[in-house]
């Protein structure tokens, strides 16, 4: 399995990270992981077939445990920089 890691600016809001993740999934393939590496967030993508537009990762900030989300499977959880502040982020894939 080949992977690629791409960085994006951790000073931006979650909507920016969401957009970048979905764009990168369209280029490289499905998201498999996220992490903060100040001042950026780093996403790991599995090189392969890209998810369809309606099946690309959806990101949400959470506290405690990542909530279950109807119609979605949890891809990963991570501490990410959201507007330069560390936040717990869950990535889901619509089923």
């Amino acid at each position: 399995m080949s992977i690629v890691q791409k960085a994006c600016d951790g000073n931006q809001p979650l909507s920016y990270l969401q957009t970048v993740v979905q764009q990168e999934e369209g280029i490289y393939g499905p998201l498999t992981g996220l992490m903060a590496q100040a001042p950026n967030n780093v996403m790991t993508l599995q090189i392969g077939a890209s998810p369809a537009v309606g099946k690309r990762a959806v990101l949400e900030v959470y506290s405690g445990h990542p909530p279950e989300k109807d119609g979605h499977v949890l891809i990963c959880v991570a501490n990410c920089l959201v507007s330069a502040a560390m936040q717990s982020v869950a990535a889901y894939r619509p089923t």
Side-chain angles (χ1 to χ4, degrees), residues 2-6 21 24-26 28-33 43-47:
S2 295
I3 61 167
V4 64
Q5 291 188 315
K6 303 297 280 184
V21 164
E24 297 297 329
E25 279 194 312
Y28 295 103
L31 177 75
T32 60
M43 63 197 84
T44 302
L45 302 124
Q46 182 178 341
I47 297 175

Side-chain angles (χ1 to χ4, degrees), residues 2 21 28 30 34 37-38 40-41 43-44 53-54 70 74 86 88:
S2 295
V21 164
Y28 295 103
L34 287 169
Q37 196 171 52
N40 297 315
N41 291 307
M43 63 197 84
T44 302
V53 172
D70 286 341
L74 184 64
M86 196 65 73
S88 296

Side-chain angles (χ1 to χ4, degrees), residues 14 18 58-62 67 69 88-92:
L14 186 65
Q18 169 81 60
V58 176
L59 307 180
E60 290 188 6
V61 171
Y62 70 94
K69 191 170 167 72
S88 296
V89 175
Y92 299 92

